[in-house]
Amino acid sequence: MISCIEWIPKGVADPNPKRYELSKAERELLESDVQEGTEEIVTDEEEMDQDNQETNDNAELLASQEKSASEIIASQPLDPSSLPDDLRMEDYSDDDSDDGAKQRDIGSLLIGNEDTGLGIDEDGNVEDDVIEKDSEDEEDDDNLDDVPDTREYTPSDIKGLEAMSFGGYTGQADFEIEDDGQEDSDAEDTNLRPDDALVVVARVQEDFASLEINVYEETTGNLFVHHDIPLPAYPLCLAHGTINSDGGAGNYVAVGTFEPGIEIWNADILNALEPAVILGGEDTTDTDAKWVQSLGGKSQARPNMNKRNGLKPGSHTDAIMSLSWNTIHRQVIASGSADKTVKLWDVTKAHDANGGVAATLTHHTGKVQSTVWHPTEGTILATGSYDRTVAIVDARSTSSVKKVKIPADCESIAWDPHNPHLLTAASEDGSILCWDVRKFESGKPYWSFIAHEYGGCSDISYNPNIPGMLATCAIDKTVALWDTHNAASDSNFRPFPCGNKDMNVGKLYCISFYPSSPWLLGCGGSGNQLALWNLENEEAFKSRFGGRVTGNQSITTRTTMGQEENQPETQQQQEDFEAIMAASDQAAKEAKEKAIWEKKKKGKSKKKVHKKR
């Protein structure tokens, strides 16, 4: 089953992803090990110097107390008559006969070896078995087959020698060094191409949950899994962002599961073992400290976390059902939970004592199914709940909340990127409602219609590159496309149905347009397969929407906080949205005061009826 999908815009992912990246705890542990190892080396060297000094002192002391062996031998008197005949040099003749040479050789063998039995017969000849034994020993010494070769082989750098014109040679070598190409093959399999489209899929198969980063090649139509990340719990929602906990740029995916914590994973790491950061969730401070101690590291003192029910301070207490990563204030994440609260998180303060919680909103009385930041106003947040209400909140003043009622539980909400004053919601009964937020408190929809009669609408998505293109999906296994262009400019019009398609992947739970291409959308559901629909091949859609393509497909660059490039603003974006909201607040306040005054006036005009007793 695929519960949710999220596209990664072009230019965000690292084209050369890493195999592994050390976490902060691992880096601290390695640094402590290196420091301790250096201290041990210095201590060992000092001990060795001390031992050598003691040895030298003892040797000098022994030399001063005892005479050498040569001095003892020189002091002993020598009697020539005690020596063998062969060693009496004064009795030798000057004639160098063969017999004398043989006697000298035999005498040299016998000196000090009278009792060893060297294999010499009575005539002074060396026995044959001794000669054979000596020859065998010499052959054994020459046999080096069993001796290991400890030499190190260093291949010649042919190209380097050619570059230096070594030996006067400046031509090309007549041979090539063979290369198996294993490293080049691995790099080709993992490196990304500029035209690759990346989509993140939260997949559940039996009891195994994972986060899959899929690559779609638009030129060839190939779709494959690039790498995956195992998840500890059932995933419910995803959100993509570009800022990590230290404020640096990157490619990150926030995951909400049945657990109360929000895991943020680095999508550029192929073999990621743990999240880059976790917002809320279970407090594992003591466990981490014990783990570091078990590995021989020194655990650093941490701030008092004030644990409550085993959770980090400010954490959700139930499943995370919705996530939205702010595209204006890129370090801010909004989360909706089954505990009926909405929380705002600052990723760069995740390691602070409060866990990075910036605010907690409690304006809903049911589970919060959907949260979406405004596309151009970074402080406006829309939320949808199972209490059958849709709300708008200003993050600067969390007490400022506006609500409207909907006919059924809210399944999904979305801002129109080309008409930022329009907010659209999908409900469980299959109806789609849109409001003009400037008149939000009136509760009257700008337009509404039934999108899926035989199955509740599970998700909606606006095309960010084509104005007026809206896609919906439902548990009836179909995707429907709608044209809201005329309805957005005139409330008398309703969205026009452009067609639908059975995606053949079971009941559909999620749908999303690719922000870097105008004609590509993806969806997933109970069939456990990702389905992509390339609308460029559909002539009916191209003839209707082809003339509206904006041509400014989203291509995001990796920039750290404070380095955002100035993006050109449209006329609608230049409009002061906050001023419009403030004006609508004032108008609503005046209308409310007028209604109260008229009600009081009407009450005064009535006469009280007295009953007779």
Side-chain angles (χ1 to χ4, degrees):
M1 171 181 159
I2 294 177
S3 58
C4 45
I5 64 174
E6 185 76 15
W7 290 95
I8 298 178
K10 284 185 179 180
V12 174
D14 187 355
N16 304 310
K18 302 177 183 177
R19 285 286 179 184
Y20 180 74
E21 184 179 48
L22 295 177
S23 64
K24 183 179 179 181
E26 291 171 334
R27 288 195 298 268
E28 292 177 354
L29 182 59
L30 290 176
E31 291 174 358
S32 63
D33 290 343
V34 171
Q35 185 176 2
E36 291 178 0
T38 304
E39 294 175 354
E40 291 178 358
I41 292 174
V42 173
T43 304
D44 293 342
E45 291 179 351
E46 292 177 354
E47 293 178 355
M48 291 176 63
D49 294 341
Q50 186 176 359
D51 294 340
N52 293 335
Q53 183 66 29
E54 292 177 356
T55 303
N56 294 333
D57 294 342
N58 294 333
E60 292 176 0
L61 180 61
L62 292 174
S64 63
Q65 294 177 354
E66 300 180 359
K67 293 182 179 181
S68 64
S70 59
E71 292 177 352
I72 295 174
I73 294 173
S75 63
Q76 300 294 329
L78 179 63
D79 185 7
S81 61
S82 64
L83 296 174
D85 295 339
D86 297 329
L87 297 180
R88 296 175 186 175
M89 303 300 295
E90 64 275 6
D91 296 337
Y92 279 14
S93 63
D94 294 337
D95 297 335
D96 295 335
S97 62
D98 294 339
D99 295 336
K102 181 183 291 186
Q103 293 294 330
R104 288 195 300 272
D105 294 337
I106 294 174
S108 64
L109 292 172
L110 294 178
I111 294 176
N113 300 295
E114 292 85 359
D115 299 328
T116 57
L118 293 177
I120 300 174
D121 57 10
E122 295 178 353
D123 297 334
N125 297 322
V126 180
E127 297 179 355
D128 294 337
D129 58 344
V130 176
I131 297 175
E132 292 177 358
K133 183 178 181 181
D134 292 339
S135 62
E136 290 177 1
D137 293 338
E138 291 178 359
E139 291 177 359
D140 293 340
D141 293 338
D142 294 337
N143 187 8
L144 302 178
D145 294 338
D146 297 334
V147 178
D149 187 3
T150 59
R151 296 175 298 172
E152 295 183 359
Y153 171 71
T154 304
S156 301
D157 187 359
I158 303 300
K159 294 184 179 180
L161 296 177
E162 291 178 359
M164 295 185 295
S165 300
F166 188 82
Y169 178 75
T170 58
Q172 299 294 330
D174 296 333
F175 60 91
E176 295 182 358
I177 299 176
E178 296 183 359
D179 186 7
D180 56 3
Q182 184 66 27
E183 295 183 359
D184 295 340
S185 177
D186 292 342
E188 184 178 356
D189 292 340
T190 58
N191 291 350
L192 300 175
R193 299 177 181 177
D195 57 345
D196 287 342
L198 302 181
V199 56
V200 184
V201 174
R203 186 189 300 273
V204 178
Q205 197 166 7
E206 294 182 354
D207 295 334
F208 179 73
S210 63
L211 200 66
E212 293 182 352
I213 289 81
N214 292 262
V215 174
Y216 175 69
E217 298 176 349
E218 294 187 77
T219 55
T220 61
N222 293 331
L223 176 66
F224 59 92
V225 178
H226 187 266
H227 63 280
D228 60 352
I229 300 171
L231 297 177
Y234 188 101
L236 296 175
C237 53
L238 299 174
H240 179 264
T242 57
I243 296 296
N244 57 15
S245 58
D246 59 3
N251 181 22
Y252 299 94
V253 179
V255 184
T257 66
F258 272 108
E259 300 295 331
I262 303 170
E263 297 182 346
I264 299 179
W265 293 85
N266 190 341
D268 289 335
I269 304 300
L270 300 180
N271 299 324
L273 300 179
E274 61 181 356
V277 65
I278 300 178
L279 303 176
E282 184 180 357
D283 189 354
T284 59
T285 305
D286 295 339
T287 304
D288 294 341
K290 291 179 181 179
W291 176 74
V292 173
Q293 290 178 352
S294 66
L295 296 178
K298 297 180 180 179
S299 59
Q300 299 179 353
R302 302 198 179 195
N304 183 12
M305 303 299 290
N306 295 325
K307 292 187 294 183
R308 182 181 179 183
N309 297 328
L311 299 177
K312 295 179 181 178
S315 171
H316 284 294
T317 59
D318 209 333
I320 309 299
M321 301 182 65
S322 60
L323 290 169
S324 180
W325 207 312
N326 200 314
T327 57
I328 307 299
H329 308 289
R330 297 186 296 154
Q331 76 277 18
V332 179
I333 296 178
S335 62
S337 172
D339 62 8
K340 307 175 185 180
T341 65
V342 176
K343 290 184 180 292
L344 307 182
W345 306 83
D346 189 339
V347 178
T348 59
K349 298 181 180 179
H351 302 294
D352 292 354
N354 64 346
V357 180
T360 300
L361 311 178
T362 58
H363 55 279
H364 283 299
T365 59
K367 299 178 180 180
V368 183
Q369 171 65 16
S370 184
T371 55
V372 180
W373 288 104
H374 193 275
T376 58
E377 296 296 329
T379 61
I380 305 299
L381 177 69
T383 62
S385 171
Y386 284 171
D387 61 4
R388 298 190 174 186
T389 62
V390 174
I392 298 178
V393 184
D394 190 338
R396 295 168 300 181
S397 177
T398 56
S399 60
S400 177
V401 179
K402 300 179 180 180
K403 287 185 180 181
V404 293
K405 283 283 187 179
I406 57 177
D409 293 346
C410 179
E411 293 292 339
S412 177
I413 57 177
W415 294 93
D416 187 341
H418 306 282
N419 299 281
H421 61 280
L422 297 181
L423 176 65
T424 308
S427 59
E428 189 181 21
D429 62 353
S431 60
I432 307 293
L433 300 93
C434 180
W435 299 271
D436 186 340
V437 294
R438 296 171 296 187
K439 305 174 182 178
F440 195 66
E441 287 191 340
S442 65
K444 182 180 179 181
Y446 190 70
W447 50 256
S448 63
F449 67 99
I450 302 297
H452 299 270
E453 296 181 358
Y454 303 104
C457 184
S458 54
D459 198 9
I460 59 176
S461 177
Y462 277 100
N463 193 323
N465 301 301
I466 300 179
M469 180 180 282
L470 174 67
T472 63
C473 69
I475 59 176
D476 61 4
K477 306 178 182 181
T478 63
V479 170
L481 293 179
W482 308 86
D483 186 355
T484 65
H485 186 66
N486 293 329
S489 57
D490 191 343
S491 59
N492 294 323
F493 289 91
R494 289 187 177 182
F496 181 79
C498 301
N500 55 38
K501 182 177 182 180
D502 188 342
M503 303 304 293
N504 297 318
V505 291
K507 299 177 181 179
L508 298 180
Y509 303 136
C510 52
I511 190 170
S512 179
F513 278 101
Y514 182 35
S516 301
S517 175
W519 302 108
L520 184 62
L521 68 84
C523 59
S526 61
N528 201 30
Q529 291 182 350
L530 173 65
L532 300 181
W533 190 4
N534 193 343
L535 302 175
E536 191 173 9
N537 301 325
E538 306 287 346
E539 292 296 332
F541 298 133
K542 288 197 68 175
S543 61
R544 186 174 189 88
F545 297 100
R548 304 183 199 169
V549 178
T550 57
N552 55 350
Q553 285 76 31
S554 175
I555 299 179
T556 308
T557 57
R558 296 166 69 104
T559 57
T560 58
M561 289 180 57
Q563 296 181 349
E564 291 85 359
E565 298 181 359
N566 294 327
Q567 301 293 337
E569 295 184 351
T570 62
Q571 183 177 0
Q572 293 173 344
Q573 292 173 340
Q574 293 173 356
E575 187 177 6
D576 190 354
F577 185 83
E578 297 177 7
I580 295 175
M581 294 293 292
S584 63
D585 290 343
Q586 183 64 26
K589 184 178 179 180
E590 293 176 355
K592 187 175 181 180
E593 292 178 351
K594 183 178 180 181
I596 294 174
W597 181 80
E598 291 180 350
K599 186 176 180 180
K600 289 181 178 180
K601 184 178 180 181
K602 186 176 182 181
K604 290 181 180 179
S605 62
K606 291 184 178 180
K607 294 182 180 180
K608 294 182 180 180
V609 178
H610 298 278
K611 295 184 179 179
K612 295 181 180 180
R613 293 182 180 178

